Amino acid sequence: MSTVKSHHKKSTIAGSVSEMEYLTVPALDKTGRFLHAFTTRHGGLGAKSNGVRQPDDWSAVAHAFGIHIDRVAMVNQVHGENIIRIDELNIRGARSVHADALMTDVPGIAVGVETADCVPILLFDPVRPAVAAVHAGWRSTVKKIVQKAVYRMHEEFRSEPSRLIAAIGPAIGPECYEVDEPVMGPVQAAFSFWREVSEPQGKDRWSLDLVKANHIELMQVGLAEKNIHAAGMCTSCRKELFYSFRAEGRTGRMLSVIMLKP
Ligand SMILES: [Zn+2]
C-alpha cells in the first residue's frame, strides 16, 4: 500500500495553480507522463448538488490539468460493466453514454469517474501510453469491471497487463461497509476468494472489502502487486475529507481523473 500525497490549495501542477484540494499517488507522479487527481470534499461536486453534475467542479479539475472543460470526458454512471473508449470524435457525447469506465490514448483528453464510497480505479499503460478510469461499486465489482477494463485496454491499445499501473482511490472500508444476503449472494457467486474479502458479522451480515476485491481482480488478470497502489483511506471514517453515501445519504461526489500529458 503506497502513501498518498495531499495537495492543498495553491499546489502547482503542469504549470497551473490549482484552487482545489486533491490527492495523488506519488508513485504515479514520478512517471512524469500523466496527471491524475482524486478530489476531496473540498474539490468535488458538492453536497448541495446531491450528486448532480456541476460543470464548475469538473472545470476545477480541467483548470488544474491545464485543459479546457470540453477536454474532460465523463459518462452517465449506472453501476454496470460498459466501458467506452474516448477519442476526438466521441468526447462531446460521452456524458450521455451509460457506462462505468472510460479509456483513451489521446494526450490532453482527461477521463474521470464520480464516487462517494464506490471504488475509483485509475489505470495507465506507460508504454502505449494510455489511461483509464473505472467506477466500481459492489455491482460493478461483482461484474468484474476492472478486469474487463484491463482486457479492453489490451484489445484497443495492446496494453500488457504486466506493465499496467493501478491507483485505487479513497473508498468505503470494510469496517464501515456491512452488507446482507442480496449483496453477499452475488459476491459469493462471483468470487472463489470471497472469504478473503468478507467477515461474518452475525446472522446474514458480512463486512465487505471492495478495495481488496478489486485489488485481487487486478492481480488475477496479470497486474504486478508492486504496480497496484491503494489510497487506503475510508470515505466513511474520514467524513471531514470525503463524501460518504453510506454515512451521509444525500451527499456530493468526489472525482477521480487521469490524463496523458499533451
Ligand atoms: Zn471506515
Side-chain angles (χ1 to χ4, degrees), residues 76-155:
N76 188 353
Q77 298 174 190
V78 290
H79 297 283
E81 57 190 313
N82 196 24
I83 301 162
I84 178 174
R85 177 179 176 173
I86 302 291
D87 56 28
E88 299 290 353
L89 297 176
N90 67 0
I91 184 168
R92 281 181 171 275
R95 71 182 71 191
S96 64
V97 174
H98 288 193
D100 288 275
L102 313 84
M103 59 185 54
T104 191
D105 66 343
V106 182
I109 287 183
V111 291
V113 292
E114 302 172 356
T115 60
D117 288 344
C118 293
V119 184
I121 305 155
L122 302 177
L123 297 169
F124 60 89
D125 172 0
V127 176
R128 166 76 182 225
V131 295
V134 179
H135 163 243
W138 77 264
R139 290 176 195 277
S140 299
T141 299
V142 162
K143 289 171 183 163
K144 303 180 184 176
I145 190 171
V146 79
Q147 294 191 340
K148 287 169 181 167
V150 169
Y151 291 141
R152 184 75 182 275
M153 286 183 82
H154 185 256
E155 197 179 300

Side-chain angles (χ1 to χ4, degrees), residues 201-220:
Q201 305 290 331
K203 192 177 185 302
D204 293 332
R205 305 291 294 178
W206 293 264
S207 64
L208 180 60
D209 191 337
L210 286 179
V211 169
K212 193 171 183 186
N214 280 282
H215 194 285
I216 293 172
E217 284 191 29
L218 286 166
M219 291 189 58
Q220 281 185 334

Side-chain angles (χ1 to χ4, degrees), residues 182-257:
V183 174
M184 205 54 205
V187 167
Q188 290 170 333
F191 302 131
S192 59
F193 57 78
W194 64 269
R195 285 184 183 82
E196 285 180 60
V197 298
S198 63
E199 286 278 349
Q201 305 290 331
K203 192 177 185 302
D204 293 332
R205 305 291 294 178
W206 293 264
S207 64
L208 180 60
D209 191 337
L210 286 179
V211 169
K212 193 171 183 186
N214 280 282
H215 194 285
I216 293 172
E217 284 191 29
L218 286 166
M219 291 189 58
Q220 281 185 334
V221 290
L223 270 79
E225 185 151 31
K226 67 175 172 60
N227 287 340
I228 305 172
H229 306 270
M233 297 162 105
C234 172
T235 45
S236 179
C237 287
R238 303 288 303 274
K239 283 189 281 291
E240 82 291 355
L241 198 53
F242 303 116
Y243 300 115
S244 172
F245 183 76
R246 265 276 167 134
E248 302 173 289
R250 294 160 71 92
T251 189
R253 298 286 182 272
M254 278 88 67
L255 311 178
S256 301
V257 190

